Amino acid sequence: MNKQIPLDAFMNVQNSGLAYSDLNKFLGSVLEKITFVLGGTFTKAMIPLIELKANNKTIFQTDGSKLDASKLYMGGASDATILTLDLMDRKAVTPNARQAGTLDLSAKSGITQLRLEVTIAGATNPTLAGFADLSPPTEDPAEAGIRWLILRRHRSTQTIGAAGEFALQVPHLDPSGGGSNFRRVHIFSANMTRLKAQREGVTEFDLSKAQIEAAQKDNFRTPQSGLVVFDPVQDGQLQGRTWDTRPSSGVRSAQLYGTFSAGETITIETEELLPLAAY
């Protein structure tokens, strides 16, 4: 970041409705983070949907409470009126790993439109403002491999009918649908007790929730109540650590499994590193 610039005013900010801000003035830069500032009787729980769209494609999708929980998991600060949408991995230990996922908006990116949408529900006289962290695009050859990787965050919900182990319906995971390149998978669940990951029939990860959280604490993460994170890059490395399920990487089968102590409805939100053309 070498610039912090206010967002253009959000339009249609009301007690319940869709507020939006066009971010086209940032074209030509690299977008690293967006910080929202909430005012009035307006909490993060009153934001049921946030979407960042490039060329009308939804590249980032979450809600206020889940975005905040994932930020706190990464060690971010808690503030009732501040919400951050961070595309960087600030705990990564190499420059490329930190920068991967930021949104290159230079002319070569092909992105010509950028829009931020925030759905508000049940607020009273809300105000919504924000600012962006930006840096200039670079032709540094050391960044050639990560420059076009955009952080995609998509979500799904799944009903768990009873206690037991179930295959998780993770967006874009199935290799038969093209697969993806996962930095993390956030599973918002009150009753998950264990997580298992398999590729090509081989179990690569199989830990209880307590074991998952112990390992993450050792890597300077801050586990959150109601959130289980599959985090293959928790040691701060990126190369060779992301969980790739794409056939182009030789993967034909992949699946995450969750064990639950009781039935519930869960939400799964991904962090994927892909070029815009893969969306």
Side-chain angles (χ1 to χ4, degrees):
M1 176 272 293
N2 75 342
K3 296 179 183 178
Q4 291 181 308
I5 305 295
L7 306 183
D8 285 345
F10 279 89
M11 308 299 293
N12 198 43
V13 178
Q14 52 185 313
N15 292 350
S16 295
L18 178 66
Y20 61 92
S21 177
D22 288 325
L23 307 183
N24 292 337
K25 72 178 185 179
F26 300 138
L27 296 178
S29 299
V30 176
L31 177 62
E32 298 177 350
K33 182 171 73 171
I34 295 170
T35 300
F36 301 94
V37 182
L38 283 57
T41 306
F42 182 27
T43 68
K44 298 163 190 175
M46 296 172 181
I47 303 177
L49 185 64
I50 300 169
E51 291 191 310
L52 180 63
K53 298 180 178 180
N55 294 354
N56 294 315
K57 296 179 179 180
T58 299
I59 61 174
F60 198 101
Q61 184 181 59
T62 186
D63 63 48
S65 297
K66 293 179 180 61
L67 179 60
D68 197 50
S70 58
K71 179 195 78 168
L72 295 175
Y73 165 77
M74 293 297 295
S78 177
D79 189 315
T81 64
I82 300 295
L83 181 63
T84 58
L85 189 163
D86 200 347
L87 302 174
M88 294 186 73
D89 194 337
R90 296 181 186 277
K91 293 293 183 72
V93 297
T94 67
N96 277 1
R98 285 192 294 273
Q99 193 74 13
T102 58
L103 189 52
D104 190 320
L105 300 172
S106 65
K108 291 181 180 180
S109 72
I111 296 174
T112 57
Q113 294 179 317
L114 192 65
R115 177 182 168 108
L116 183 60
E117 297 180 352
V118 179
T119 300
I120 302 172
T124 302
N125 300 321
T127 62
L128 180 60
F131 60 91
D133 287 14
L134 305 162
S135 60
T138 175
E139 296 291 343
D140 185 348
E143 294 188 9
I146 59 94
R147 181 177 178 188
W148 307 114
L149 294 178
I150 296 172
L151 177 62
R152 176 166 74 180
R153 183 162 175 154
H154 282 179
R155 66 192 334 213
S156 65
T157 58
Q158 181 177 350
T159 299
I160 305 299
E165 183 182 78
F166 298 89
L168 300 180
Q169 298 169 7
V170 180
H172 315 297
L173 184 144
D174 190 349
S176 67
S180 194
N181 184 35
F182 294 93
R183 185 165 76 181
R184 292 181 192 90
V185 179
H186 301 269
I187 305 155
F188 294 89
S189 162
N191 298 329
M192 178 180 282
T193 60
R194 193 172 193 90
L195 180 64
K196 180 169 67 178
Q198 291 184 339
R199 279 189 299 191
E200 302 299 288
V202 177
T203 298
E204 300 178 332
F205 181 96
D206 187 8
L207 297 179
S208 70
K209 181 181 178 184
Q211 292 169 335
I212 292 168
E213 292 183 350
Q216 291 169 347
K217 289 174 183 177
D218 270 349
N219 284 297
F220 309 106
R221 304 292 194 247
T222 307
Q224 300 295 302
S225 175
L227 172 61
V228 178
V229 184
F230 176 55
D231 190 353
V233 301
Q234 64 186 264
D235 64 357
Q237 304 286 340
L238 186 66
Q239 188 171 4
R241 300 291 205 279
T242 58
W243 208 61
D244 197 337
T245 68
R246 294 172 293 179
S248 60
S249 297
V251 180
R252 296 162 297 176
S253 67
Q255 186 62 60
L256 290 184
Y257 296 91
T259 300
F260 298 84
S261 60
E264 61 174 333
T265 298
I266 64 173
T267 299
I268 301 171
E269 296 191 353
T270 62
E271 288 187 29
E272 309 162 54
L273 295 174
L274 295 164
L276 184 65
Y279 281 56

